[in-house]
Amino acid sequence: MGLPNVLNTGRSGMVASRSSIATAGHNISNANTEGYSRQRTIQETNLAHPYGVNVVGTGTQVRRTERINDEYLEKQVRNSDRELAHAEEKDMALRQTEDIFNEMNGDGINRLMSRFFNEFRKLANEPNNEAIRQSVREASQTLVTDFHRLRKEVSEVQTHIDSRVDGYVREINTLTQEVQELNAQIAKHEVLHGPANDLQDKRDLTLKKLASFLDLTMVNDGKGNVNVDIKGVGPLINGPTVEKFSVERSPADLDRGKQDGALDVRSSAAPQGVLTNILKGGKLGALLEVRDGTLSTVIDRLDELAFGVAQAVNSVHQQGYDRYGNVGVNFFEPIGTKERAAERLELSEAVRSNVSHIATAAQPESPGDNRIAIAISGLQSERFLGGGNTTADDFYNSIVSDVGVVTNRNRATLNQQKDIRTQLGKLRDQISGVSIDEETANLMQFQHAFEASARVISIADEMMKTVLDLKRT
């Protein structure tokens, strides 16, 4: 083996050490970069050369710089992020709904209904008292106003959800485009230069963000591309093809809980076009679930309560006689159907204009007759809602209770998902995270190896000078 080969052996060690130092420095620089996976330089020995009856090694070469990354763990982290995002988004919407029903000032519908029926009890004691009649009208109008408030505020939560859905759809379209572009860059880079470690980290981070919105499946095609499918729908990213989402306002679809004018999510990826009732999981699935599930149920039950109260009170009131001897007077304006009843509930024009139209008597020209007033006050304990199985108070309380149960159940899930995500994050950091102390130790090791390789070259150079001097003498 000639001295030039010894020089090349030392040079190969210096090149390898320099590459390792560069990789360690790259790790340290990206210690706080989100989604970064630490890298390491993989070396292998050069082919040995024969030297007489023996063989002598010829140094080392850098085979590749690999990314320390566990694909299965990354999948678990993505799934955990999706479940956590789903629970967080539901918690936001449910807390807004829960706040609507928090009766901190003591003036919730159940108390207002109690006041309404109590005023009729007072009127039964003094049917001709003008002040009590005005108090009955005032309590009734306050109840009507609170029905309007509740329905409006729940509808406003749905409107807020629609605005978030619109924003998330635009963000999904941006992320899918980024993944498609990264697919192309990675495929090109790996053909020309080998593993695209940093681009793969960037793509994994983008896929993680994308997966937080929807329930997705992801498959690496082995050519540098990651294909993404929406569960139950079809491809979202397939090679160079990227599907785009859009939103549009559409008529009500009460079978699936969608209110009139609420946003539908559409995509050419789905044969039927509309994805609203198909999308599950993640932030987008959570919003649609709360909007078309929990909130639509709340609105429907508020309408049923308002319709039931109006029908029951009118049914009794129409049988009575007012102070002018009129019969068949409505206390509330007739609604007809329960659809939007909580929004359309109003006192009848007759009662609004003149409290003398409030019927208390079961017979005409009976000033002391209070049987109708008693009958209306008795409706408080009547089971005229829920198919004749529940009172108005219990029906309303069940609405509030159901919202609380759903909210608390989701909070328990949210806390559990936070713990799971924390554990998975720690596990990922142990595998893929950068340890400054470890990289600093590696730097010192690579530095010593570089200096030792340089010493090999220096010694080989001195040996060559010695040989040349011998030839001159």
Side-chain angles (χ1 to χ4, degrees):
M1 180 181 182
L3 289 176
N5 288 332
V6 176
L7 291 170
N8 285 330
T9 297
R11 177 182 176 277
S12 70
M14 292 180 68
V15 170
S17 297
R18 183 185 63 189
S19 297
S20 296
I21 289 172
T23 300
H26 187 56
N27 287 339
I28 292 171
S29 298
N30 288 279
N32 297 314
T33 300
E34 183 183 5
Y36 180 78
S37 300
R38 67 185 176 92
Q39 301 174 16
R40 65 182 176 191
T41 302
I42 305 299
Q43 298 177 220
E44 62 182 11
T45 57
N46 286 329
L47 292 176
H49 282 184
Y51 187 68
V53 296
N54 197 7
V55 290
V56 178
T58 58
T60 186
Q61 63 177 328
V62 176
R63 183 178 179 186
R64 68 181 184 279
T65 301
E66 71 174 9
R67 187 172 67 126
I68 310 301
N69 185 270
D70 188 316
E71 288 189 9
Y72 177 70
L73 180 58
E74 289 294 334
K75 180 180 178 181
Q76 286 186 305
V77 170
R78 281 199 304 268
N79 291 340
S80 177
D81 282 346
R82 182 186 67 244
E83 296 300 324
L84 179 58
H86 182 84
E88 287 177 336
E89 206 67 29
K90 282 185 70 174
D91 184 63
M92 179 277 301
L94 290 172
R95 277 191 292 107
Q96 290 180 338
T97 308
E98 192 176 42
D99 289 343
I100 295 172
F101 290 93
N102 280 340
E103 299 162 6
M104 301 302 292
N105 59 359
D107 289 332
I109 275 186
N110 57 345
R111 290 180 174 84
L112 294 178
M113 281 195 297
S114 294
R115 181 187 169 196
F116 170 77
F117 290 120
N118 285 334
E119 291 300 327
F120 267 100
R121 290 189 182 94
K122 294 178 183 178
L123 185 61
N125 293 329
E126 299 181 65
N128 292 316
N129 189 309
E130 186 75 11
I132 295 178
R133 284 176 173 270
Q134 291 179 358
S135 183
V136 168
R137 183 174 62 182
E138 180 188 349
S140 304
Q141 186 59 55
T142 303
L143 178 62
V144 167
T145 301
D146 209 54
F147 267 114
H148 294 173
R149 176 192 67 83
L150 273 180
R151 198 185 195 285
K152 179 184 177 183
E153 291 185 2
V154 175
S155 296
E156 286 175 348
V157 176
Q158 289 185 313
T159 301
H160 179 229
I161 286 176
D162 274 348
S163 68
R164 292 179 73 85
V165 168
D166 185 32
Y168 285 161
V169 163
R170 290 197 299 268
E171 194 168 347
I172 289 170
N173 288 338
T174 299
L175 291 171
T176 53
Q177 188 63 41
E178 287 182 14
V179 172
Q180 190 272 338
E181 292 172 357
L182 286 167
N183 276 344
Q185 293 175 29
I186 290 170
K188 180 179 179 180
H189 188 283
E190 291 186 346
V191 168
L192 298 176
H193 309 292
N197 296 327
D198 295 326
L199 288 174
Q200 288 184 27
D201 281 341
K202 187 175 180 180
R203 183 175 65 185
D204 281 352
L205 182 60
T206 306
L207 287 170
K208 192 181 300 180
K209 292 178 181 177
L210 182 60
S212 70
F213 291 101
L214 297 164
D215 194 356
L216 305 173
T217 57
M218 303 174 186
V219 179
N220 196 318
D221 66 359
K223 301 177 182 178
N225 297 311
V226 171
N227 295 327
V228 181
D229 289 348
I230 307 172
K231 284 189 177 179
V233 178
L236 178 61
I237 304 171
N238 187 12
T241 305
V242 177
E243 300 295 340
K244 293 291 184 181
F245 284 156
S246 62
V247 294
E248 67 175 14
R249 300 201 177 277
S250 56
D253 186 347
L254 299 181
D255 289 338
R256 56 185 175 91
K258 180 183 173 297
Q259 301 293 314
D260 185 47
L263 290 179
D264 260 328
V265 181
R266 302 182 66 89
S267 171
S268 57
Q272 69 276 34
V274 177
L275 304 180
T276 310
N277 60 329
I278 303 175
L279 296 176
K280 307 294 180 184
K283 297 179 182 179
L284 197 56
L287 291 177
L288 296 174
E289 179 184 335
V290 173
R291 188 194 72 181
D292 297 340
T294 305
L295 296 185
S296 286
T297 299
V298 168
I299 287 177
D300 185 66
R301 297 184 72 190
L302 283 174
D303 287 341
E304 183 178 352
L305 176 59
F307 181 73
V309 169
Q311 289 290 96
V313 172
N314 278 348
S315 177
V316 176
H317 196 267
Q318 288 169 354
Q319 299 174 35
Y321 293 83
D322 64 16
R323 296 170 76 180
Y324 301 115
N326 298 318
V327 70
V329 177
N330 285 312
F331 190 84
F332 294 106
E333 289 289 350
I335 298 176
T337 64
K338 77 171 187 176
E339 185 178 354
R340 307 181 79 89
E343 177 184 336
R344 296 187 291 123
L345 181 66
E346 296 289 351
L347 289 180
S348 67
E349 177 60 30
V351 173
R352 283 202 307 271
S353 62
N354 190 341
V355 293
S356 292
H357 287 300
I358 299 175
T360 59
Q363 296 184 66
E365 300 179 2
S366 302
D369 191 348
N370 63 358
R371 284 175 289 176
I372 294 300
I374 291 174
I376 292 177
S377 67
L379 289 174
Q380 185 174 15
S381 59
E382 291 291 328
R383 299 176 183 273
F384 59 86
L385 287 166
N389 295 315
T390 184
T391 66
D393 284 338
D394 290 343
F395 191 86
Y396 176 75
N397 289 335
S398 70
I399 297 175
V400 178
S401 175
D402 288 348
V403 171
V405 168
V406 172
T407 303
N408 290 334
R409 184 187 300 127
N410 183 72
R411 283 176 185 164
T413 301
L414 174 60
N415 292 331
Q416 182 183 32
Q417 288 301 323
K418 284 181 178 179
D419 292 339
I420 293 173
R421 180 60 183 87
T422 299
Q423 294 301 318
L424 287 173
K426 290 179 179 178
L427 186 58
R428 185 193 182 279
D429 288 343
Q430 290 176 2
I431 296 174
S432 302
V434 176
S435 167
I436 298 296
D437 291 340
E438 182 179 344
E439 296 301 329
T440 302
N442 289 339
L443 277 176
M444 295 178 63
Q445 176 185 343
F446 301 145
Q447 179 189 8
H448 292 324
F450 183 89
E451 292 171 350
S453 295
R455 183 60 179 159
V456 169
I457 293 175
S458 176
I459 291 173
D461 182 58
E462 292 175 4
M463 292 171 63
M464 186 169 290
K465 285 181 182 179
T466 300
V467 171
L468 291 174
D469 288 344
L470 288 173
K471 288 185 177 181
R472 292 191 187 98
T473 60

Coordinates of all heavy atoms in Angstrom, one line a residue, residues 401-429:
S401 N -79.9 20.3 31.3 CA -79.1 19.1 31.8 C -78.4 18.4 30.7 O -77.2 18.0 30.8 CB -80.1 18.1 32.5 OG -79.4 17.0 32.9
D402 N -79.0 18.2 29.5 CA -78.4 17.5 28.4 C -77.2 18.3 27.9 O -76.1 17.7 27.6 CB -79.4 17.3 27.3 CG -80.4 16.3 27.6 OD1 -80.2 15.5 28.6 OD2 -81.5 16.2 26.9
V403 N -77.3 19.6 27.8 CA -76.1 20.4 27.4 C -75.0 20.3 28.4 O -73.8 20.1 28.0 CB -76.5 21.9 27.3 CG1 -75.3 22.8 27.1 CG2 -77.5 22.2 26.2
G404 N -75.3 20.3 29.7 CA -74.3 20.1 30.7 C -73.6 18.7 30.7 O -72.4 18.6 30.8
V405 N -74.4 17.7 30.4 CA -73.9 16.3 30.3 C -72.9 16.2 29.2 O -71.8 15.7 29.3 CB -75.0 15.3 30.2 CG1 -74.5 13.9 29.8 CG2 -75.8 15.2 31.5
V406 N -73.4 16.7 28.0 CA -72.5 16.6 26.8 C -71.2 17.4 27.0 O -70.1 17.0 26.7 CB -73.3 17.2 25.6 CG1 -72.3 17.3 24.4 CG2 -74.4 16.3 25.2
T407 N -71.3 18.6 27.6 CA -70.1 19.4 27.9 C -69.2 18.7 28.8 O -68.0 18.7 28.6 CB -70.6 20.8 28.4 OG1 -71.5 21.4 27.5 CG2 -69.4 21.7 28.6
N408 N -69.7 18.2 29.9 CA -68.8 17.5 30.9 C -68.2 16.3 30.4 O -67.0 16.0 30.6 CB -69.6 17.2 32.2 CG -70.0 18.5 33.0 OD1 -69.3 19.5 32.9 ND2 -71.1 18.4 33.7
R409 N -69.0 15.5 29.6 CA -68.4 14.3 29.0 C -67.3 14.7 28.0 O -66.2 14.0 28.0 CB -69.5 13.6 28.2 CG -69.0 12.2 27.6 CD -70.1 11.6 26.8 NE -71.3 11.3 27.5 CZ -72.5 11.8 27.2 NH1 -72.6 12.5 26.1 NH2 -73.5 11.5 27.9
N410 N -67.5 15.8 27.3 CA -66.4 16.2 26.3 C -65.2 16.7 27.1 O -64.0 16.5 26.7 CB -66.9 17.2 25.4 CG -65.9 17.7 24.3 OD1 -65.6 16.9 23.4 ND2 -65.4 18.9 24.5
R411 N -65.4 17.4 28.2 CA -64.3 17.9 29.0 C -63.4 16.8 29.5 O -62.2 16.8 29.6 CB -64.8 18.8 30.1 CG -65.1 20.2 29.6 CD -65.7 21.0 30.7 NE -66.2 22.3 30.2 CZ -67.0 23.2 30.8 NH1 -67.4 22.8 32.0 NH2 -67.4 24.3 30.2
A412 N -64.1 15.7 30.0 CA -63.4 14.5 30.4 C -62.5 13.9 29.3 O -61.4 13.5 29.5 CB -64.4 13.5 31.0
T413 N -63.1 13.8 28.1 CA -62.4 13.4 27.0 C -61.2 14.3 26.7 O -60.1 13.8 26.3 CB -63.3 13.3 25.7 OG1 -64.4 12.4 26.0 CG2 -62.6 12.7 24.5
L414 N -61.5 15.6 26.7 CA -60.4 16.6 26.5 C -59.2 16.4 27.4 O -58.1 16.4 27.0 CB -61.0 18.0 26.6 CG -60.0 19.1 26.4 CD1 -59.3 19.1 25.1 CD2 -60.8 20.5 26.6
N415 N -59.5 16.3 28.7 CA -58.4 16.1 29.7 C -57.6 14.8 29.4 O -56.4 14.7 29.6 CB -59.0 16.1 31.1 CG -59.5 17.5 31.5 OD1 -59.0 18.5 31.0 ND2 -60.5 17.5 32.4
Q416 N -58.4 13.7 29.1 CA -57.7 12.5 28.8 C -56.8 12.6 27.5 O -55.7 12.1 27.5 CB -58.8 11.4 28.5 CG -58.2 10.0 28.3 CD -59.3 9.0 28.0 OE1 -60.3 9.3 27.5 NE2 -59.1 7.7 28.4
Q417 N -57.3 13.3 26.5 CA -56.5 13.4 25.3 C -55.3 14.3 25.5 O -54.3 14.1 24.9 CB -57.4 14.0 24.2 CG -58.5 13.1 23.6 CD -57.8 11.8 23.0 OE1 -56.8 11.8 22.4 NE2 -58.5 10.7 23.2
K418 N -55.4 15.3 26.4 CA -54.2 16.1 26.7 C -53.2 15.2 27.3 O -52.0 15.4 27.0 CB -54.6 17.2 27.7 CG -55.4 18.4 27.0 CD -55.7 19.4 28.0 CE -56.4 20.6 27.4 NZ -56.8 21.7 28.3
D419 N -53.5 14.3 28.2 CA -52.6 13.4 28.9 C -51.9 12.5 27.9 O -50.7 12.3 27.9 CB -53.2 12.6 30.0 CG -53.7 13.5 31.2 OD1 -53.1 14.6 31.3 OD2 -54.6 13.1 31.9
I420 N -52.8 11.9 27.0 CA -52.2 11.0 26.0 C -51.3 11.8 25.1 O -50.2 11.3 24.7 CB -53.4 10.4 25.1 CG1 -54.2 9.5 26.0 CG2 -52.9 9.7 23.9 CD1 -55.5 9.0 25.3
R421 N -51.6 13.0 24.6 CA -50.8 13.7 23.7 C -49.5 14.1 24.4 O -48.4 14.1 23.8 CB -51.5 15.0 23.3 CG -50.7 15.9 22.3 CD -50.3 15.1 21.0 NE -49.5 15.9 20.1 CZ -48.2 15.9 20.2 NH1 -47.5 15.3 21.1 NH2 -47.5 16.7 19.3
T422 N -49.5 14.4 25.7 CA -48.3 14.8 26.4 C -47.4 13.6 26.5 O -46.1 13.7 26.2 CB -48.6 15.2 27.9 OG1 -49.5 16.4 27.8 CG2 -47.4 15.5 28.6
Q423 N -47.9 12.4 26.7 CA -47.1 11.2 26.8 C -46.5 10.9 25.4 O -45.3 10.5 25.3 CB -47.9 10.0 27.3 CG -48.3 10.1 28.7 CD -47.2 10.3 29.7 OE1 -46.2 9.6 29.6 NE2 -47.3 11.1 30.7
L424 N -47.3 11.0 24.4 CA -46.7 10.7 23.0 C -45.7 11.8 22.6 O -44.7 11.4 22.0 CB -47.9 10.7 22.0 CG -48.8 9.5 22.0 CD1 -50.0 9.8 21.1 CD2 -48.1 8.2 21.7
G425 N -45.9 13.0 23.1 CA -44.9 14.0 22.8 C -43.6 13.7 23.4 O -42.5 13.9 22.8
K426 N -43.6 13.3 24.7 CA -42.4 12.9 25.4 C -41.7 11.8 24.7 O -40.5 11.7 24.6 CB -42.7 12.6 26.8 CG -43.1 13.8 27.7 CD -43.5 13.3 29.1 CE -43.9 14.5 30.0 NZ -44.2 14.1 31.4
L427 N -42.5 10.8 24.3 CA -41.9 9.6 23.6 C -41.3 10.0 22.3 O -40.2 9.5 22.0 CB -43.0 8.6 23.4 CG -42.6 7.2 22.8 CD1 -41.5 6.6 23.7 CD2 -43.8 6.3 22.6
R428 N -41.9 10.9 21.6 CA -41.3 11.4 20.3 C -40.0 12.1 20.6 O -39.1 12.0 19.8 CB -42.3 12.3 19.5 CG -41.8 12.7 18.2 CD -42.6 13.8 17.5 NE -42.0 14.1 16.2 CZ -41.0 14.8 15.9 NH1 -40.3 15.3 17.0 NH2 -40.5 15.0 14.7
D429 N -40.0 13.0 21.6 CA -38.8 13.7 21.9 C -37.7 12.8 22.3 O -36.5 13.1 21.9 CB -39.1 14.7 23.1 CG -40.0 15.8 22.7 OD1 -40.1 16.1 21.5 OD2 -40.5 16.5 23.6

